[in-house]
Each structure stands twice: as C-alpha cells, then as structure tokens.
C-alpha cells in the first residue's frame, strides 16, 4: 500500500514537472513570436549590421529562455526583452577585441546614395548618433520601440521625470541640428554634415 502511494506521488511530481516545462515552452514561444520583429528592429538600429542584429536577438532569446521564471508579468515582457537585448549589446563590447589593420591594405568605400529618402534617413541617424548616450537611448526606445516614458524609466532604471527631460533635450538638440543644417545648405538636407 505504501509502495503504491510513493509511485503515485512520484508520477504526480513527474507529470507536474512536464506540465510546468510545457507551459514555460508555450509562454516562451508566444513571447518570441510577438516581440521578435521589435527586438530585431531595435537591434538593427543599434548595430546597423543585419548579422550582428540577428546574433543579438538570438542571444537575447537564449537569455530570456534561461530566465523565463523571472518574468512575473507578461505585460512587462517587451521592456524585459529590450532590457536583456541592451545588456547583450553591452556585453558584445566587453568581449570585443578590436582587430588592428593597416589602412593602406584596404580601400575606403564612399557610400553612394540610393535616393533622397535614404540620404535623409542616414542624415537623421547620424544626427541621433551625435546625441549624448543619455539623450540618444531614451529617444530611440521611444521612437523605435514605442515605449512610454514610464517603460523607458523602468528599462533604464531612471526616474520618469528624468526620462521626460532627456527626451525633451534630445528633441531640442535634433531641432537645433536641423535648423543649423537648413541654414547652412539653404533648406536642403545633404548626406554630409
């Protein structure tokens, strides 16, 4: 009789573990399916390299899988995943060993513009990259990822008022860059600044 009880108890524990594992897998798959494109878009914006962006998203997903139990509220999943991606991007620079090359061995490519929109997008990206990181990062999170001020504050571990001030200053600086460009080129945005 006691032996039957232990077998049933052991079977119940095994069934529970299988059920938990299946729920974790379904939850993870749902998160990845919903947020993968946003993660890639943000990673690509950060790196401007499709392969690196794909690697970043893959590493983000792997870390998310390993720490699924730490995500208590599925409504916070997007900011949780973006935070993981930001940390993975920072780790990339910690690990990176710069390869020194002789400049004479390589030909310098001059970018050829493929349309006015492409030039404007590159110009805008360049201006955003000129912003100090404390202004650039909240702006990118708001514009590219669609986060609210509160979500950005949570991701960057800042006060919401600080985030709002940084967003205001980022936009003001971009406006100054545009006004300066327009006055120096007669209203035309060029690929050069």
């Amino acid at each position: 009789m006691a032996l039957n009880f232990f077998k049933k108890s052991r079977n119940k524990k095994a069934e529970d573990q299988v059920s938990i594992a299946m729920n974790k897998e379904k939850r993870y798959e749902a998160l990845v399916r919903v947020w993968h494109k946003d993660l890639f878009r943000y990673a690509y914006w950060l790196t401007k390299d499709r392969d690196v962006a794909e690697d970043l998203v893959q590493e983000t997903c792997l870390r998310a899988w390993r720490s699924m139990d730490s995500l208590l509220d599925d409504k916070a999943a997007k900011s949780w995943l973006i935070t993981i991606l930001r940390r993975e991007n920072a780790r990339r620079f910690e690990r990176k060993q710069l390869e020194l090359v002789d400049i004479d061995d390589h030909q310098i490519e001059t970018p050829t513009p493929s349309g006015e929109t492409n030039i404007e997008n590159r110009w805008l990206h360049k201006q955003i990259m000129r912003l100090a990181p404390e202004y650039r990062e909240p702006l990118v999170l708001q514009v590219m990822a669609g986060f609210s001020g509160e979500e950005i504050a949570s991701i960057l571990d800042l006060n919401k008022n600080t985030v709002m001030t940084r967003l205001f200053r980022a936009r003001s600086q971009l406006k100054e860059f545009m006004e300066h460009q327009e006055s120096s080129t007669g209203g035309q945005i060029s690929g050069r600044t």
Side-chain angles (χ1 to χ4, degrees), residues 56-75:
L56 265 178
V57 171
Q58 186 174 9
E59 285 297 318
T60 298
C61 290
L62 180 62
R63 287 204 185 262
W65 170 254
R66 290 178 182 158
S67 59
M68 273 300 289
D69 297 334
S70 69
L71 178 62
L72 303 176
D73 181 7
D74 286 344
K75 292 177 184 171

Side-chain angles (χ1 to χ4, degrees), residues 12 14 36 71 79 83 96 112 115 128 143 151 155 167 172 189:
K12 178 67 173 151
H36 187 271
L71 178 62
S79 60
T83 300
K96 189 170 186 167
T112 54
I128 290 172
V143 173
E151 292 170 322
I155 291 169
L167 287 169
S172 295
I189 293 178

